[in-house]
Each structure stands twice: as C-alpha cells, then as structure tokens.
Amino acid sequence: MRFTPRDNTFFELLAESAQQLVEGSNILAQITGAEGSDRKKLAKRMSEIEHAGDEATHAIIKRLNSTFVTPFDRDDIYNLASGLDDCLDYMDEAAERIVLYKIDELPDRVDDQVEILRRMAELTATAMPGLRSMNELHDYWVEINRLENQADKAYRKLISHLFEDVKDPIQLMKQREVVEVLEKAADAFEKVANFVETIAVKEA
Amino acid sequence: MRFTPRDNTFFELLAESAQQLVEGSNILAQITGAEGSDRKKLAKRMSEIEHAGDEATHAIIKRLNSTFVTPFDRDDIYNLASGLDDCLDYMDEAAERIVLYKIDELPDRVDDQVEILRRMAELTATAMPGLRSMNELHDYWVEINRLENQADKAYRKLISHLFEDVKDPIQLMKQREVVEVLEKAADAFEKVANFVETIAVKEA
Amino acid sequence: MRFTPRDNTFFELLAESAQQLVEGSNILAQITGAEGSDRKKLAKRMSEIEHAGDEATHAIIKRLNSTFVTPFDRDDIYNLASGLDDCLDYMDEAAERIVLYKIDELPDRVDDQVEILRRMAELTATAMPGLRSMNELHDYWVEINRLENQADKAYRKLISHLFEDVKDPIQLMKQREVVEVLEKAADAFEKVANFVETIAVKEA
C-alpha cells in the first residue's frame, strides 16, 4: 500500500499531541502515588500540559481549516485531534479533582486504572507516526481495545467496592468521581483508536 | 417520491441494530421488575446484547468507510448508527448500575420510564425499514417526540420525589443515577428520530 | 475581505438564537437572586425560552438540509446552531435544578458564574450579525476565552468551598450539581466561539 502525505505537518502535530498524553499519564501516576503538597505542584504541571494540549489541538484545527489539501479527510483529522485532546482533558480533570477534594487516600485499584492509561498513552504515541505509512496500526487498535476492556473491569470492581466499603457519603462522592473520570479517559483512548481505524479503512 | 437504494445492506444492518434495542428494552423491563440473582443473569444477557450492538455499529461504520456509494449521506448513516448504539449503551448502563449497586427496590415510577423506552424501541425498529421507502417516517418522528416529553415529565417527578423521600444519601446517589441514565436513554431515542428526520428532509 | 452571503436567513436565524441566550441568561440571574414561588414562575419562563430555542435550532437544521447553497460550510452552520442550543439547554437545566431541588440558598459565588454567563451571552449575540461581514470576530473570540478562564476559576473555588463548608451530603449533592451545570454552560459558550473562529479562518 502506497500513500503520499501531502502535508507532513499534520503528522508531526498529531504525534506531538500524543506525546503530551504520555507525559500527562506519567504525572497522573505520580499524583495518585504522591501526597499533599506534592500533589498540588504535580497538578499544576498537569494543568500546564493540558493547556499546551489545547494549543496544539487549536493549531491543528486552524491549519486544517486554512489548508486546501490535507493528507486525509478533513473530518478524520479533526476527530483525531479532538479525540487526543479529550484524553488529556480527562486525565487533567482527574488530577484536579484529587487536589480540589483534598483526597488523602485513593483505593488501591485506582493505580490499576492509571497504569492502563499509561500503557494506552504510550501505544497511542507510538501509533501516530505510523499513520504516515499506515503500518502496524491494526496491532495498536487491537491492543487498545484489549486494554479498554481491562479498564472497564477495574472500574466496575472499584465502583462496587466503593459503594460497599466507604460509609461516609461525601468521601464516597469524591472518590467515585475520580474513578469515573479515569474511566472516561480510558474510553477516550478507545475512541482515538476507532478514529485511527476509520482512517486506515478509508486508505486501504 | 422515488428512491433507489444503492446498497441495501445498510438498511438491513440498521434494522438489525434497531431490533437489538427492542430486545434490550425488554430485558431492562425484566430487570427493573425482577430481583437479586435473576437480575445478575439478566444484566449479563443485556451486556451480551450491548456487545453485539457494538459489533453491529462497527460493521456499519467499516462498510461505510470502504463503500464508495452509499444510499444517503455518509455522515447521516454514521450518525444514525452511532445514535442507535447510544440508546443501547444507556439501557445497558442502567441495567449494570442496578446490579452493581445492589439496589433492592426501585421507585415505582422507574417502570414508567422503562415502559416509555420499550415503546420507543419498538417504534424505532418499525421505522428503520421505512427508511428504504421514506414512508410514514413523519408519524414515527412525531410519536417519539411525544414520548420523549412524557419521559421528561416522569423523570422530573422521580427526581423531585427521590430528593424528598430518600433520606439515606448513598441510597439516593444510587437510585438517582439509575433514573438519570434512563432519562439519557430516552434523549438518545429522540436524537435517533432527529437523524431520521434529517435524512427524510434531504431526500424529500 | 469581501464576502457575499447567499442565504441571509441563516444569519437572521442564528442571531435570533443568540438573542434567546441573552434573555435566558437574564432570567437565570433573576432565579439565582429570587426566592421560592417566584423562582417557579421564572423557571417556567426559562423553559419556554428553551423550547423556542429548540424550535429555532430545528428550523435552522431543516433549512440547512433543504438548501443547496449555504453561506458557509453546512457542517459549520450545523455546529454553530447546535452549539448555541447547548448554551441555552445548560442554563435551563440549572434553572430547573434550582426549582426541582427546592434549593433555598445558593453560595454567593454562583452569582459570579451567572454574571459571566450573561456577559458571554451578550457578546455572542453581538457577534452573530458580524458573521455576515466577518468583522471584529477576533475580539469576541479573545474575550469569550478570557471569560471562560474566569468562569473556570470561579467554579473551582466554588467546588472547593462546597466540599469544605456543606456538611449535609444531600445539600452538597444539590448545590454541587447546579454549580456543575453552570460551568458546562460557560464551556458551551467557549465552544460556540471556537466554531465561529473555524468559520472565520476558512473565510479569511
């Protein structure tokens, strides 16, 4: 299969966006592990990355709208860029909630959720440059779907345990929301993989 | 009005998706009526249907992306397929929450919500084959909108009663969420009807 | 920059939609200030505006689908019309919750949120006719983004205070939800500004 990219900048911008996901997921892992004052500093760093992500997405969309010829369907690039941004937004929201709610202790299984997000971010960042050649995207797609199923199971177990173990309703509300947002982040990574599949099918 | 479908498979796939909604809504009605261990089995069956629904949607989108000529606008079929999938997702989420949260008793009015969803699912499944000929879609659209208004009223009453009657905040959180997701399912059916209207207007 | 609109009705319909946002935001400000029975009447008025907004959006989309030549990209008008509708929906949802939950007293800072929404609504209504000539849309876009940042800060402070000050979990749930929906309204206004920017960049 041959493919001639017409504007390489899109690939570079998308790869950059995906790289921010890796950094964001690493900081998130530190936040769920760290405590108190450290968390605040980490969440601030996370918020800066989220801001940079917004600007990257904005740059992609602006270029998209002002470019006559794009390597793929305009809509597909738009969806992909917005989708990458959503992943980062949810990870940032999780970090922010942990700090805003002053949550001291998170359930152990939250680490499972975050670890899956880290794997997803790495896979996504590795796949983006592959868009240029459309190589090996299938493996990426399959693996993301497998991880999303795993995330789903971790999430259900967490919710079920929270409602059984946490007797203070306000604590429950706080923890439950962090767990919820992390699940949304995993879903967002799956959506990105679906957009990549859409692009791959069209170009096949 | 004449209309020549170019790829009949789309209609068959969409009708199949809508048929899953009927089955899903019937199981949901059994879950809100059933108790304990039965619910678990029913929710498992629901989750299988939801899985089948995901695959049906995926098949439609894949075919959409690899087909040069589609009977309607590509985007409209995409929206319709994703919209049908959303209906099923919300009904599955409601079933899952009832089981996960081990909710013993649901407020009576939840049955009203579910009954409306069943009617909506049946109407939607009946309308899908009509897309081929564009006949009688107007009645379907009007009736779905009427049902959605009814769902809205049932939902508001439920929320208002829950906050008055349920004194245990954790019970309140659980029940409220089920009611919320059922309301989202009704909204999703209305969205599907709007997509159908969009298609009908374009073809008129 | 010259620009020849092909169907002026779209501009008129969009400007009308935006005008409803101004009225909606003013009523919202009265609701957060008013009490008891008055609120009910105001929320009813709000719900009528929301209904009118739905119909306006519906009219735009119907015209969009039946018109061969539109002044801009079909998708951009669709996004803009739906985006304006979302702003109104969230403001209506906030009004409805305040009444449904019978919330007597809202935290003071909620007024800050609502005041920002009023400014956003006015700016948006002023910008819509500018679409015809593409003049001064940049200032609008910058100002909306500035206000959204301000809304974000007000929201975070509110959430953090609610979780510290409100000890009754059911009260907390209620108030928190109103604050949440108001934040979503501010986000929706920012999205509208982004759609406007998209249109402006394409036409530049």
Side-chain angles (χ1 to χ4, degrees):
Chain A
M1 188 175 75
R2 247 160 26 105
F3 177 71
T4 318
R6 271 144 289 177
D7 184 344
N8 280 309
T9 326
F10 282 112
F11 298 102
E12 281 148 28
L13 290 170
L14 289 166
E16 237 172 70
S17 259
Q19 205 50 54
Q20 288 166 333
L21 294 180
V22 174
E23 203 181 338
S25 68
N26 286 335
I27 289 176
L28 187 59
Q30 288 175 55
I31 288 173
T32 52
E35 265 167 65
S37 62
D38 259 350
R39 273 186 180 160
K40 225 168 178 170
K41 226 170 77 186
L42 287 164
K44 205 169 163 275
R45 176 74 195 113
M46 181 66 138
S47 146
E48 285 162 13
I49 296 172
E50 193 272 331
H51 212 80
D54 271 357
E55 271 167 32
T57 310
H58 199 242
I60 294 174
I61 291 172
K62 211 164 173 176
R63 173 171 290 264
L64 197 57
N65 289 329
S66 57
T67 304
F68 193 68
V69 182
T70 55
F72 305 118
D73 251 13
R74 203 177 280 270
D75 286 352
D76 291 333
I77 298 184
Y78 179 87
N79 286 336
L80 194 48
S82 309
L84 290 168
D85 199 37
D86 287 344
C87 299
L88 197 52
D89 280 356
Y90 286 124
M91 293 197 292
D92 175 47
E93 205 179 318
E96 190 189 295
R97 298 282 146 152
I98 293 170
V99 173
L100 260 183
Y101 295 166
K102 304 196 174 76
I103 302 178
D104 289 327
E105 226 177 309
L106 285 160
D108 287 346
R109 276 205 184 78
V110 165
D111 292 334
D112 298 346
Q113 286 189 298
V114 173
E115 193 48 41
I116 293 171
L117 292 177
R118 285 178 71 178
R119 296 276 328 270
M120 286 175 136
E122 272 163 33
L123 278 167
T124 305
T126 312
M128 281 307 116
L131 274 176
R132 204 183 301 232
S133 57
M134 289 291 161
N135 287 329
E136 293 168 43
L137 288 177
H138 181 75
D139 290 355
Y140 149 73
W141 188 78
V142 169
E143 181 64 7
I144 290 283
N145 274 277
R146 201 187 59 78
L147 287 168
E148 200 275 331
N149 277 331
Q150 224 177 291
D152 221 50
K153 271 182 202 142
Y155 163 74
R156 285 173 203 219
K157 274 194 191 147
L158 265 160
I159 288 290
S160 153
H161 282 243
L162 279 180
F163 274 94
E164 254 161 52
D165 301 343
V166 184
K167 299 302 173 208
D168 172 9
I170 296 187
Q171 270 304 316
L172 179 58
M173 281 172 70
K174 290 175 172 181
Q175 302 217 4
R176 186 256 158 84
E177 210 175 295
V178 172
V179 167
E180 204 75 41
V181 173
L182 291 173
E183 167 67 3
K184 281 188 188 169
D187 285 345
F189 274 107
E190 194 191 22
K191 264 194 189 161
V192 164
N194 287 339
F195 293 137
V196 168
E197 198 207 8
T198 295
I199 292 174
V201 170
K202 282 191 191 170
E203 297 293 324
Chain B
M1 188 176 76
R2 249 162 22 103
F3 178 70
T4 318
R6 271 143 287 178
D7 184 344
N8 280 309
T9 326
F10 282 112
F11 297 101
E12 282 148 28
L13 289 169
L14 289 167
E16 236 172 72
S17 260
Q19 206 49 55
Q20 289 166 334
L21 294 180
V22 175
E23 203 182 339
S25 68
N26 286 336
I27 289 177
L28 188 59
Q30 289 175 54
I31 288 174
T32 51
E35 266 168 61
S37 62
D38 259 351
R39 272 187 181 160
K40 226 171 177 166
K41 228 170 75 186
L42 287 164
K44 204 170 164 271
R45 174 75 196 113
M46 181 66 139
S47 146
E48 284 161 14
I49 297 173
E50 193 272 330
H51 212 81
D54 270 358
E55 271 165 33
T57 311
H58 198 241
I60 294 174
I61 291 172
K62 210 164 174 177
R63 172 172 288 266
L64 197 59
N65 289 329
S66 57
T67 304
F68 192 67
V69 182
T70 55
F72 304 118
D73 250 14
R74 202 178 282 270
D75 285 353
D76 291 333
I77 297 183
Y78 179 88
N79 286 337
L80 194 48
S82 309
L84 290 168
D85 199 37
D86 287 344
C87 298
L88 198 52
D89 279 356
Y90 286 124
M91 293 197 291
D92 175 48
E93 205 179 317
E96 190 189 295
R97 298 283 148 152
I98 293 169
V99 173
L100 260 183
Y101 295 166
K102 304 197 174 75
I103 301 178
D104 290 326
E105 227 177 310
L106 285 161
D108 288 346
R109 277 206 183 78
V110 165
D111 293 333
D112 298 345
Q113 287 189 298
V114 173
E115 194 48 42
I116 293 171
L117 292 177
R118 284 178 72 178
R119 296 275 328 270
M120 285 176 137
E122 273 163 32
L123 278 167
T124 306
T126 312
M128 282 306 116
L131 273 177
R132 205 183 300 232
S133 57
M134 288 290 161
N135 287 331
E136 293 166 45
L137 288 177
H138 182 74
D139 290 355
Y140 149 73
W141 188 78
V142 169
E143 181 64 8
I144 289 283
N145 273 277
R146 201 187 59 78
L147 287 169
E148 201 274 331
N149 277 331
Q150 224 177 290
D152 221 50
K153 272 183 202 140
Y155 163 74
R156 283 173 204 219
K157 274 194 191 145
L158 265 160
I159 288 290
S160 155
H161 282 242
L162 280 180
F163 273 96
E164 254 160 49
D165 301 342
V166 184
K167 299 301 175 209
D168 172 9
I170 294 186
Q171 271 304 316
L172 179 59
M173 280 172 71
K174 290 175 173 180
Q175 302 217 5
R176 186 256 158 84
E177 210 175 297
V178 172
V179 167
E180 203 74 40
V181 174
L182 292 173
E183 167 68 3
K184 281 188 190 169
D187 286 345
F189 274 107
E190 194 191 23
K191 263 195 191 160
V192 164
N194 287 338
F195 293 137
V196 168
E197 198 207 9
T198 295
I199 291 175
V201 170
K202 282 191 192 168
E203 298 293 322
Chain C
M1 189 173 75
R2 250 162 22 105
F3 176 69
T4 318
R6 271 143 287 178
D7 184 344
N8 280 309
T9 326
F10 282 113
F11 297 102
E12 282 148 28
L13 290 169
L14 289 167
E16 238 172 69
S17 260
Q19 205 51 53
Q20 288 166 334
L21 294 180
V22 174
E23 203 183 339
S25 67
N26 286 335
I27 289 176
L28 188 60
Q30 288 175 56
I31 288 174
T32 51
E35 264 168 64
S37 62
D38 258 350
R39 272 187 181 159
K40 226 169 176 168
K41 227 170 77 187
L42 289 164
K44 204 169 164 274
R45 176 73 196 115
M46 181 66 141
S47 146
E48 285 161 14
I49 297 173
E50 193 274 329
H51 213 80
D54 270 356
E55 271 165 33
T57 311
H58 199 242
I60 294 174
I61 290 171
K62 211 164 173 176
R63 173 172 287 266
L64 197 58
N65 288 330
S66 58
T67 304
F68 193 68
V69 182
T70 54
F72 304 118
D73 250 13
R74 202 176 280 272
D75 286 352
D76 290 333
I77 297 184
Y78 179 88
N79 286 338
L80 193 48
S82 310
L84 290 169
D85 199 38
D86 287 344
C87 299
L88 198 51
D89 280 356
Y90 286 124
M91 293 197 291
D92 176 48
E93 205 179 318
E96 190 190 293
R97 298 283 148 153
I98 293 170
V99 173
L100 260 183
Y101 295 167
K102 306 195 174 74
I103 302 179
D104 290 325
E105 227 178 310
L106 286 161
D108 288 346
R109 276 206 184 78
V110 165
D111 293 333
D112 298 346
Q113 286 190 297
V114 173
E115 194 48 41
I116 292 171
L117 292 177
R118 284 178 73 178
R119 296 277 328 271
M120 285 176 137
E122 273 163 31
L123 278 168
T124 305
T126 313
M128 282 304 117
L131 273 177
R132 205 183 299 233
S133 58
M134 289 292 161
N135 288 330
E136 295 168 40
L137 287 177
H138 182 74
D139 290 355
Y140 149 72
W141 187 80
V142 169
E143 181 64 7
I144 289 284
N145 274 277
R146 200 187 59 79
L147 286 169
E148 200 275 330
N149 277 331
Q150 225 177 290
D152 220 51
K153 269 182 203 143
Y155 163 74
R156 284 173 204 218
K157 273 193 191 148
L158 264 160
I159 288 291
S160 153
H161 282 242
L162 279 180
F163 274 95
E164 253 161 51
D165 300 341
V166 184
K167 298 302 174 208
D168 172 9
I170 295 186
Q171 271 304 316
L172 179 58
M173 280 172 72
K174 290 174 172 181
Q175 303 218 4
R176 187 257 157 84
E177 210 175 296
V178 172
V179 167
E180 203 74 39
V181 174
L182 292 174
E183 168 67 3
K184 280 188 190 169
D187 285 345
F189 274 106
E190 194 192 22
K191 264 195 191 161
V192 164
N194 286 338
F195 292 137
V196 169
E197 198 208 6
T198 295
I199 292 174
V201 169
K202 281 191 192 168
E203 297 294 322

